[in-house]
Amino acid sequence: MYGEGFFFQAFIYLAAAVISVPIAKRLGLGSVLGYLIAGVAIGPFGLQLVGEEGEDVMHFAEFGVVMMLFLIGLELQPSRLWRLRGPIIGMGGLQLGLTAALIMAAGGALGLPWQSALAVGLVLALSSTAIVLQTLSEKGLLKTDGGQSSFAVLLFQDIAVIPLLALLPLLAVHGAFGSAAAPAGMGEHGSTWIEGLPGWAQTLLVLGSVVGLILGGRFLIRPLFRAIAQTRLRELFTAAALLLVIGIALLMTRVGLSPALGTFLAGVVLADSEYRHELEADIDPFKGLLLGLFFIAVGASIDFRLVSSEPVLIGGLVCALIIIKFGVLFVLGKFFKMGFDQNLLLALSLAQGGEFAFVLFTFAYTDGILPKEITGPLIAVVAISMPLTPLLMLLNEKLIQPRFGTRQNLEREPDAIDEENPVIIAGFGRFGNIVGRLLRANGVRATVLDFDSDNVEMLRKLGMKVFYGDATRHELLRAAGAEKAKLLILALDDPEKNLEMLQIARKHFPHLTILARANGRSDAYELIEAGVNFVYRETFDASLRLGIEVLRLLGFPSYQAYRASKTFRHHDEHALRELATMRHDRKAYISHARERIRDLEEILQEEMQPGTDLKRDLGWDTTSLREEFASRHRK
Amino acid sequence: MRMENKAKSYRILIIFAHPAIRKSRVNRVMIRAAQNLPGVTVHDLYEAYPDFDIDVSREQELLLDHDIILLHHPFYWYSTPSIIKEWEDLVLTHGWAYGQAGRALRGKRLLSVITTGGREEAYQKGGHNRFTIRELLAPIEQTAYLCGMEYLPPFVVHGTHSFRPDDVERHASDYRRLLLALRDGRVDLQAAQLHPRLNADLDSILTS
């Protein structure tokens, strides 16, 4: 067991995070910068609370990246991924190739041998998945065009790490060829199974693992999770989720693939499964903590001694790196016909060195591919370029976008600048789309949140402001403008999601008036209890209209049938509100089915008694008038 | 407060009906002038019952809670917009508003507040509309009579077709003055009955 030292270290890291992140957020810097600053503060050049072991922490914490890709995979259905293939290969490939070539040329100009220059170029072309995705998702930009393109490029880079590791040893100018060492992240631990196998067997093993992963995800994991869910032990589910991620990472490492890529794939396979949300909820805190740890470690690892001894060199290299990467991406964005805003977002977000660079440079140094005089400063350059990214994006958000960004949107569609749409519709399926169309037909602009990527794409083409993603995340609600909106319409297909979102919205945006679609009666009760303002049972109106038609077909005068339905509705909606408060105490021990039967009984019983609202149409009834007339004339 | 002023203070209910309030130029301004006056309740029927699903109990309670009832609406086809007719049919029930047992509205006062596109000259014998407003409002006057209510001459805004914005403002402020005077019992009802409409010479019927 770890001793006091371990706890002391944990204390330092956690304290740094807890203190600096809220401050950074308050200052509008975002959590990534907060963590990085915390790292600098506790690092060897700050308070000197952590020293050499910071590097071990960094390798451990890189597992956060693996988890993050798993989570991203979970949100990406295979069909969506397939649609991204163009940007992944096209944009990703071109980015890596062009950036590497430019850096190589620059290196050559500075007098490096071409092999070393190429190695440096390839390594520096990689960007930081952790920083980019965390920053983008925190700002709610992950689902924008620019965010998606960034993601595509990062995914390509993740894939590219594997051949890169194989390629690097070939670029050694002096010294021996290294072994085909394990890839990034978990790579350092243990050897792989494929070493020493003939080429065909290696390929077979790799392919077999990937196919096994996909098949396992499809057919094995679901029953497994079902069995675990039945134990009703929350922590067991968490353990299983962690086991899954760690297991896949280990397997991938063993067959020589990137663990991040493997878990990403597993996430995609599980994106359709019913356990997706539980998995997300379980893994998310671990991912957050590990990524935070990782950022702290990066901050702590910046070698300020080196920086201060060669400020001009390091500063120049950082600028050159950012400018080259930015330039390549900006040109590529133009080539792929991206809008100015999105293009800027893409280019700025990816203009830094990645965490793989630490691993790869270390590897390149130990294997004698590059000398320490090159890798040392370059590691510092990468480390410095990382915190600059969130800063640059902040600059973009606060200074560049307000001045230059929105103009282009204005030309295209004036109403598309709907930062202050009064209405947010969550769920634009068969229910929400009717609401949305009615609003649109009357000139009311609504911001839409939806999970369905097909819907999202179609609506975006129509010029609507659509956010793709889990509408139950309050960050997404915030990004959709919940702070300024007046009304929130909950029209998701899944009643539980609706309820969850209602609770979140009530908690974070108490000013909103919330209108919700309810599946049925019991659903409506829950929504009422959770404080919805208006609730609409999705089948109620259609059933009533059908009922009117039946009465009419049986010979009731149309208008009488219609009025009868009005009375019924009045009564039923009244009863709904009433029963919602009454049922509470019994709820705990009566099963849902029995509850529903009991509710129906109560409704029917109430209908038997002449309610007060039956006199609603009395004005058209002349019975009492005739009686009075008769009695008067009898006298 | 209420006890002290009871002799002088009346609660006013404005039953308002305009089916297209956003297109209204005059009534919208007038009803705005009536809003937020203490002792005056504005009840917008089209707003409350867009599907004509009138809540009879609620309407009857409202009537019971007030002393002076105003029917405020544009003059459509020499009568009210349809929702007021629906309201009358359903709310003024036999045995409640009229008939042997129907005494709920006795002693209350009723008047119409209407706007017409045509000028006042058009509403008289020999004029384009051949009848006076008072004649055309006979069904409402008789309704008031049957319910035992005191009927007051209408507040009529004529000639809105040719209105300019300051005309509207002038009538709105007259309306507001009348409401306050009715509320505070400062209207000389006997003098008022001599006029074809309450706002024919507002100053002459208001006491201080």
Side-chain angles (χ1 to χ4, degrees), chain A residues 82-154:
Chain A
W82 182 242
R83 229 171 299 146
L84 274 175
R85 69 190 186 280
I88 292 175
I89 296 169
M91 203 180 267
L94 283 171
Q95 184 271 341
L96 195 72
L98 287 176
T99 313
L102 276 175
I103 295 178
M104 180 184 165
L110 290 175
L112 286 180
W114 72 267
Q115 294 98 327
S116 304
L118 179 58
V120 169
L122 284 170
V123 173
L124 287 182
L126 303 176
S127 304
S128 169
T129 309
I131 292 207
V132 178
L133 292 188
Q134 181 69 18
T135 308
L136 286 176
S137 82
E138 199 171 281
K139 293 182 190 294
L141 294 170
L142 208 49
K143 304 300 176 191
T144 61
D145 264 6
Q148 290 286 294
S149 303
S150 304
F151 173 71
V153 171
L154 288 167

Side-chain angles (χ1 to χ4, degrees), chain B residues 180-199:
Chain B
L180 292 175
L182 281 171
R183 181 193 69 184
D184 301 337
R186 288 187 289 104
V187 178
D188 182 343
L189 294 176
Q190 278 174 328
Q193 290 290 4
L194 301 175
H195 290 286
R197 53 186 175 92
L198 282 185
N199 52 338

Side-chain angles (χ1 to χ4, degrees), chain A residues 559 562-563 566-567 569-570 612-613 615-620 624-626 628 631-632 635, chain B residues 51-57 60 86 89-96 98-102:
Chain A
Y559 196 62
Y562 170 76
R563 290 295 299 187
K566 288 276 180 193
T567 304
R569 165 200 291 281
H570 199 74
T612 48
D613 50 6
K615 77 171 190 183
R616 279 154 29 94
D617 289 357
L618 220 57
W620 292 328
S624 69
L625 194 58
R626 275 183 283 118
E628 190 178 312
S631 71
R632 201 179 297 162
K635 281 176 195 165
Chain B
D51 49 3
F52 278 50
D53 194 13
I54 289 167
D55 183 341
V56 175
S57 315
Q60 292 185 340
E86 183 94 343
D89 292 354
L90 289 174
V91 178
L92 306 180
T93 49
H94 176 251
W96 185 80
Y98 71 102
Q100 276 171 343

Side-chain angles (χ1 to χ4, degrees), chain A residues 31 34 37 85 107 122 177 285 291 297 299 305 308 315 359 401 451 463 508 511 558 561 613 623:
Chain A
S31 70
I37 292 167
R85 69 190 186 280
L122 284 170
F177 283 88
L291 273 185
R305 200 180 312 124
S308 60
V359 181
Q401 287 296 341
F451 300 100
H508 294 279
H511 71 281
S558 283
D613 50 6
T623 315

Side-chain angles (χ1 to χ4, degrees), chain A residues 404-420:
Chain A
F404 308 101
T406 45
R407 202 168 299 154
Q408 200 175 37
N409 272 347
L410 262 173
E411 281 161 17
R412 197 179 63 213
E413 163 112 50
D415 329 33
I417 320 278
D418 35 17
E419 286 301 332
E420 285 167 45

Side-chain angles (χ1 to χ4, degrees), chain A residues 521 524-525 528-529 535 537 570-586 598-599 602-603 606 609 611-613:
Chain A
R521 207 161 245 281
Y525 291 148
I528 291 172
E529 262 176 58
V535 65
R537 284 162 288 166
H570 199 74
H571 179 84
D572 194 74
E573 277 172 356
H574 186 70
L576 184 76
R577 290 264 166 193
E578 202 131 272
L579 292 175
T581 52
M582 276 166 52
R583 68 177 199 129
H584 204 43
D585 32 345
R586 286 172 293 186
R598 201 204 56 235
D599 284 350
E602 272 170 31
I603 298 163
E606 262 196 45
Q609 299 159 0
T612 48
D613 50 6

Side-chain angles (χ1 to χ4, degrees), chain A residues 258-279:
Chain A
S258 145
L261 206 64
T263 49
F264 169 73
L265 209 58
V268 173
V269 172
L270 290 172
D272 292 328
S273 97
E274 61 270 43
Y275 298 107
R276 182 183 137 198
H277 299 296
E278 274 100 334
L279 283 172

